Amino acid sequence: VLAAVTADPVPVQGCRTYDLAPMVYVATAVPSFVAAAFPGGVDAASLRRAPTLRFDRRDLLQVRWAREALDLELAAPVHWSPSTQGMLDLCLAGLGWAMTPLALATPHLASGRLVELLPGRRIAVPLYWQRTRLAARLLERLTQAVLAAGRSDD
């Protein structure tokens, strides 16, 4: 591996780290799941019962969101999907709620296929581009392209 996007600001030995724009995540579910799992609204009790979708055991975005949105230490049933697209597919199938990257959620939110659990309560994860210090023209061009794309608001 010569380069990678990471959420860790500490450079790997022999690498440089560059700041990118944060990735914004939104708590989403299909309307039918929200109606069934949160009939009285999203609160601490309903969040403890409602299944969450998590990428892996290190994925604590749902825990962070619950803490920031409701001051709740989340302990809820979990379905695992080590794929971003897989998590979105499980969410769209109504199997749980997920922290979805806003870029992926936007078209589904606009169409009504997904809704935010608590509108406007989003979290941002800082991202970094790490690349080897190896001098290579192609790697430098790739770095410049990633930085240009990763620092834009689009």
Side-chain angles (χ1 to χ4, degrees):
V1 174
L2 296 176
V5 174
T6 177
D8 189 351
V10 178
V12 173
Q13 185 175 354
C15 290
R16 289 187 192 125
T17 299
Y18 303 84
D19 292 346
L20 299 173
M23 182 172 290
V24 177
Y25 286 85
V26 57
T28 63
V30 294
S32 60
F33 180 86
V34 172
F38 307 108
V42 177
D43 59 20
S46 60
L47 274 174
R48 286 188 181 106
R49 290 188 306 270
T52 63
L53 304 173
R54 286 178 52 190
F55 188 82
D56 61 21
R57 297 194 189 289
R58 295 176 299 166
D59 174 12
L60 298 175
L61 289 176
Q62 296 78 0
V63 172
R64 178 180 159 195
W65 179 84
R67 185 179 305 124
E68 291 178 14
L70 295 169
D71 196 29
L72 167 70
E73 290 304 315
L74 184 64
V78 175
H79 297 297
W80 306 98
S81 177
S83 155
T84 303
Q85 184 62 49
M87 284 183 49
L88 178 60
D89 292 343
L90 291 174
C91 192
L92 289 167
L95 295 178
W97 69 273
M99 294 306 299
T100 307
L102 183 58
L104 290 178
T106 296
H108 300 291
L109 292 167
S111 72
R113 289 186 69 201
L114 289 178
V115 295
E116 288 189 61
L117 296 190
L118 292 174
R121 294 292 191 114
R122 299 170 178 182
I123 58 174
V125 175
L127 293 180
Y128 307 90
W129 173 249
Q130 287 198 31
R131 63 159 281 198
T132 181
R133 293 178 193 214
L134 203 77
R137 193 174 341 170
L138 187 58
L139 185 55
E140 184 57 36
R141 287 178 46 206
L142 176 61
T143 294
Q144 293 309 314
V146 168
L147 294 178
R151 290 179 175 160
S152 72
D153 292 333
D154 297 336

